[in-house]
Amino acid sequence: MNRRHLYILCALLTAVGVFAFAYKTLVLGFPATPDHRVEIWRADVKIDFVAEGKPVKVSLAIPETTDQFAIIDQTFISPGYGFATVPADLNRRAVFTTREGKGEQTIYYRAVFQKTSERAKPTTVPRPQVGRIRFQNEELTAARAVVDRLWKQSADEASFVTLVLDRLRGPGRSNELRLLLGQRPSVRQRMQLAADMIRLSRIPARAVHGLPLEGLRRHVAFQHWLEVYIDGAWHSFDPKDGRRQPPANTVPWWRGPGPLVRIEGATPGKTDVATSRAYEVALQTAMVHGREKHSAFVEFSVLGLPIQMRAVYQILLAVPIGIMVLVILRNVIGMKTFGTFMPVLMAMAFRQTDVLWGVALFTLVCGLGLMVRFYLERLKLLLVPRLAAVVIVVIAIMAVLSVFSHKLGFERGLSVALFPIVILAMTIERMSIVWEERGAKEAFQQTGGSLAVAVVCYLVMNLDIVRHLFFVFPELLLVVLAATLLLGRYTGYRLVELPRFKVLAGLADKGRGETGGKGSGN
């Protein structure tokens, strides 16, 4: 395989990994840092009423996720009541029921919102039905007179809606409007009347009732505005000035003329709404947002695994970065180790033992095991039985260390059982062979190098940012793979060899200088 093929492969792997990472952070909102938090709002609805010993049915309008606000959690508390959510006209309602309710009753509902965009954008939807006209008799005649007059004065549908809102808001109302509005109309009444009048012109319209999210507040009043179907999309109109925008930082709660709460079989009491603001880990809200979009990055992700498996993969997915660190330390820096991946496995054990205790226990077990290995050498055993004997001795040493450390009150000593037993046995075997073939100095160099590499890998793998990135964005493993493939073609000097080559370079320069001097003398 030529270099060009390798470079193209690495570029593709890097591009796919970076693209997936960018999509999850920029589009789905996954946090790039483990401590990143997002602003959320909680809305609590408390419904009080008095039951009269008859069947009770309580219907509460509940919000839905929109382009601007995502619902990341909902809680329903209704002791002794059955519960279901059902669609109802333009809304979704929670219905609480019981066969027999007595005395004072309370039902709670909580919704947790996260803002997903600064401003809702009109989305193209099929044209809905105009809906039922609620006017009757003289009200219908008065409404038609007002609508016909304003329609003639307008230039298009948007200007017609603006004129309707202006007439309902202005002080100089006609006799027809006074009949339709009454003496002291509320904003909600005006928005519902505006929707009814606009539907007389065969234009779909509806009143919207939203909850303002403004931090910690009690007895929050709902705000009301108008939505009109124009040019293939629903557009919001502010009742104060007729502009095409809903009130700022307000989540639509329900639409249409229906009430927030409807109670049957009991005496209605008080309904109170409170809001509060808090901050939450961004990963949870990003997961909810991704599920709302049915993203494959969330549906087919380790984040969807059971909690026990997620804990396992949070460790395993950090191993590749430890392996790449090992490759750099061995192939670029030139550190000597026993085996290829033994330091990474030891680094995984250090996660449970802590690095200082891990190094101490590793050194103690390997030292005792090495003495036993030298004794077994005198018995002239074959390779496989000798390794089996070393494994048995290592297990016995670990058991003895655990018992003594427990008796002496060193609970950290119990973590010696977390070391990979086979790796310890193979390390002891490898140390003895190197000792016999290359001497004690080489054996200690490789042992020290293995411990040093294991410590570095542990420090890198145990970084919060590393564990977070490779658990939440496992596609970054493609970037690590590309970097590892490129390191596989590295044929330059190792850093530990530079002093030796520096001496040779100095001798070569000295030789050239002497040769040049003789030539000039001749």
Side-chain angles (χ1 to χ4, degrees):
M1 183 182 293
N2 56 33
R3 288 183 178 272
R4 179 179 297 178
H5 188 104
L6 176 65
Y7 293 154
I8 293 175
L9 175 62
C10 293
L12 288 175
L13 292 173
T14 303
V16 172
V18 171
F19 171 78
F21 173 77
Y23 178 81
K24 291 174 72 171
T25 54
L26 300 178
V27 178
L28 298 182
F30 278 75
T33 56
D35 56 349
H36 181 65
R37 297 181 180 272
V38 295
E39 193 176 40
I40 62 171
W41 288 268
R42 294 187 179 94
D44 296 299
V45 180
K46 179 183 177 183
I47 307 171
D48 294 317
F49 57 95
V50 179
E52 302 169 351
K54 299 185 297 185
V56 178
K57 181 178 180 181
V58 179
S59 175
L60 169 68
I62 56 177
E64 296 184 90
T65 293
T66 65
D67 292 337
Q68 191 178 11
F69 292 94
I71 300 177
I72 62 175
D73 191 22
Q74 292 186 97
T75 305
F76 303 87
I77 301 178
S78 53
Y81 283 77
F83 163 75
T85 58
V86 297
D89 297 330
L90 303 175
N91 308 293
R92 193 166 60 102
R93 302 189 74 90
V95 180
F96 307 89
T97 55
T98 184
R99 285 286 182 180
E100 183 179 3
K102 294 181 179 180
E104 296 182 354
Q105 308 283 300
T106 302
I107 290 177
Y108 296 93
Y109 168 73
R110 168 178 285 183
V112 182
F113 300 94
Q114 181 199 356
K115 203 171 197 178
T116 57
S117 63
E118 291 300 324
R119 180 175 296 180
K121 298 179 181 179
T123 304
T124 301
V125 295
R127 183 180 179 86
Q129 295 182 354
V130 174
R132 184 173 62 90
I133 305 299
R134 300 188 307 118
F135 297 123
Q136 294 180 357
N137 302 326
E138 66 275 7
E139 291 183 349
L140 178 60
T141 302
R144 286 193 182 280
V146 175
V147 168
D148 291 342
R149 184 164 59 249
L150 296 179
W151 182 262
K152 293 178 181 179
Q153 297 174 358
S154 64
D156 51 23
E157 293 178 341
S159 61
F160 171 67
V161 173
T162 303
L163 286 174
V164 170
L165 291 175
D166 183 67
R167 292 296 183 275
L168 294 177
R169 184 177 61 251
R173 299 189 182 102
S174 62
N175 293 328
E176 295 91 347
L177 288 178
R178 282 195 289 270
L179 171 65
L180 296 171
L181 285 172
Q183 293 296 324
R184 294 182 178 180
S186 63
V187 177
R188 178 179 176 180
Q189 290 174 324
R190 288 194 286 112
M191 291 304 98
Q192 189 57 55
L193 177 59
D196 292 335
M197 293 174 62
I198 293 170
R199 286 203 295 271
L200 278 176
S201 299
R202 312 306 301 170
I203 302 174
R206 59 198 184 189
V208 185
H209 319 284
L211 184 69
L213 303 176
E214 300 177 352
L216 182 60
R217 289 184 59 191
R218 299 180 60 189
H219 313 300
V220 182
F222 284 90
Q223 296 188 11
H224 313 277
W225 66 94
L226 186 68
E227 282 186 348
V228 183
Y229 185 84
I230 300 175
D231 297 330
W234 287 101
H235 295 265
S236 298
F237 288 83
D238 192 325
K240 296 179 181 179
D241 50 22
R243 291 187 298 175
R244 288 199 194 187
Q245 61 181 23
N249 209 41
T250 301
V251 57
W253 197 278
W254 85 100
R255 293 173 169 85
L260 172 65
V261 178
R262 185 182 293 115
I263 300 177
E264 300 176 13
T267 302
K270 183 177 65 172
T271 298
D272 188 27
V273 182
T275 60
S276 62
R277 181 170 56 188
Y279 292 88
E280 189 168 305
V281 177
L283 180 58
Q284 179 181 351
T285 59
M287 286 283 294
V288 176
H289 190 205
R291 289 194 182 100
E292 291 287 343
K293 291 190 172 185
H294 303 287
S295 173
F297 286 100
V298 175
E299 298 294 335
F300 301 95
S301 169
V302 294
L303 296 171
L305 294 175
I307 295 178
Q308 296 86 347
M309 292 302 299
R310 274 186 280 173
V312 172
Y313 276 100
Q314 195 169 24
I315 297 174
L316 291 182
L317 290 173
V319 171
I321 193 66
I323 293 175
M324 191 180 76
V325 171
L326 171 66
V327 171
I328 295 174
L329 293 176
R330 285 190 53 145
N331 288 25
V332 179
I333 297 179
M335 298 185 68
K336 298 179 180 180
T337 63
F338 286 124
T340 304
F341 299 113
M342 187 275 288
V344 177
L345 296 176
M346 298 308 301
M348 293 179 63
F350 289 165
R351 290 172 60 94
Q352 306 298 326
T353 64
D354 274 349
V355 64
L356 295 180
W357 273 99
V359 171
L361 293 172
F362 176 83
T363 304
L364 182 59
V365 172
C366 287
L368 295 175
L370 188 61
M371 290 189 292
V372 174
R373 169 62 179 80
F374 283 143
Y375 173 75
L376 294 176
E377 181 66 24
R378 296 183 179 183
L379 301 179
K380 305 299 181 182
L381 301 178
L382 297 177
L383 175 62
V384 176
R386 188 175 67 215
L387 283 175
V390 172
V391 170
I392 294 172
V393 170
V394 166
I395 294 175
I397 292 173
M398 293 168 64
V400 171
L401 288 176
S402 295
V403 171
F404 274 95
S405 63
H406 176 64
K407 292 296 182 181
L408 295 174
F410 298 112
E411 298 299 328
R412 283 290 186 179
L414 299 176
S415 59
V416 69
L418 298 173
F419 280 109
I421 298 171
V422 176
I423 294 299
L424 285 173
M426 295 297 295
T427 300
I428 293 170
E429 177 70 15
R430 182 64 180 168
M431 284 178 64
S432 64
I433 293 175
V434 173
W435 192 306
E436 293 172 353
E437 295 180 353
R438 302 184 184 179
K441 180 180 179 181
E442 182 69 17
F444 283 118
Q445 283 181 347
Q446 292 193 22
T447 303
S450 298
L451 282 175
V453 171
V455 169
V456 174
C457 291
Y458 162 80
L459 294 176
V460 174
M461 293 167 57
N462 207 45
L463 290 173
D464 290 339
I465 186 67
V466 171
R467 288 187 297 172
H468 172 80
L469 285 176
F470 286 92
F471 179 66
V472 179
F473 307 99
E475 55 275 1
L476 291 179
L477 293 179
L478 298 177
V479 181
V480 175
L481 176 59
T484 305
L485 293 176
L486 290 175
L487 287 172
R489 282 295 186 98
Y490 177 75
T491 57
Y493 293 120
R494 296 178 179 178
L495 296 183
V496 297
E497 297 174 341
L498 291 181
R500 178 161 55 95
F501 285 102
K502 184 176 181 181
V503 172
L504 294 177
L507 293 175
D509 292 339
K510 182 178 180 181
R512 283 196 297 271
E514 292 177 354
T515 304
K518 291 179 181 180
S520 60
N522 292 335

